[in-house]
Amino acid sequence: MATKSEGIQRLLQAEQRANAKVAEAKKKKQKRLKEAKEEAKKEILLFKNNQEVAFQDKMAKSQGYGDDYTAKINKEGQVEAAKLNQALEQNQGKVVDWLLDLVSDIKPEVHRNYATTGFA
């Protein structure tokens, strides 16, 4: 009987060692999972920061382009206004003289509609 109890004791000890190894493996697995999660969080944070920097750069460039475009349009508008002002200065006297000539040079004549009706 000593051998039976001895065999049972061996089996119990083997089961305990197996349980200990399984528990240790579970702990190692949990530790690896935790480390993997932390590493993944770091990588995600790094990626997110890189994308944010790239986005800010694109926004700065696009806003800079908008400012350049606005400045270009404003400059073109000022050039066009200067041309119109120059044309006004050059032709203002001519236009005023032409209008005064039209107003002051009165030629009395019968209106064409009145002349065709035969009342005159």
Side-chain angles (χ1 to χ4, degrees):
M1 286 233 166
T3 57
K4 268 189 176 180
S5 65
E6 213 176 277
I8 293 175
Q9 287 297 324
R10 280 184 168 172
L11 285 175
L12 288 175
Q13 288 175 353
E15 184 180 357
Q16 287 177 351
R17 284 193 309 261
N19 285 338
K21 285 186 179 185
V22 168
E24 185 179 336
K26 284 182 180 180
K27 285 181 185 178
K28 285 182 181 180
K29 181 180 177 183
Q30 291 295 330
K31 184 179 177 183
R32 283 192 315 235
L33 285 174
K34 187 176 181 180
E35 288 173 356
K37 283 182 182 180
E38 289 175 6
E39 186 176 334
K41 284 181 182 179
K42 287 179 185 177
E43 287 180 13
I44 289 170
L45 185 61
L46 180 64
F47 178 77
K48 183 179 178 182
N49 289 339
N50 288 340
Q51 292 299 316
E52 183 68 26
V53 168
F55 175 73
Q56 293 298 332
D57 287 344
K58 285 183 180 182
M59 288 299 293
K61 286 179 183 178
S62 69
Q63 288 175 351
Y65 176 74
D67 291 342
D68 291 342
Y69 190 67
T70 303
K72 180 181 175 185
I73 289 175
N74 287 338
K75 185 176 180 180
E76 288 176 359
Q78 289 174 354
V79 168
E80 191 66 28
K83 286 180 185 178
L84 290 173
N85 285 334
Q86 184 180 9
L88 174 68
E89 289 175 12
Q90 289 176 351
N91 297 320
Q92 185 175 9
K94 293 177 189 176
V95 171
V96 169
D97 290 341
W98 177 70
L99 286 173
L100 286 175
D101 284 342
L102 286 176
V103 172
S104 62
D105 187 24
I106 300 172
K107 298 178 186 172
E109 16 177 271
V110 177
H111 193 271
R112 64 181 180 186
N113 290 340
Y114 186 71
T116 58
T117 57
F119 293 115

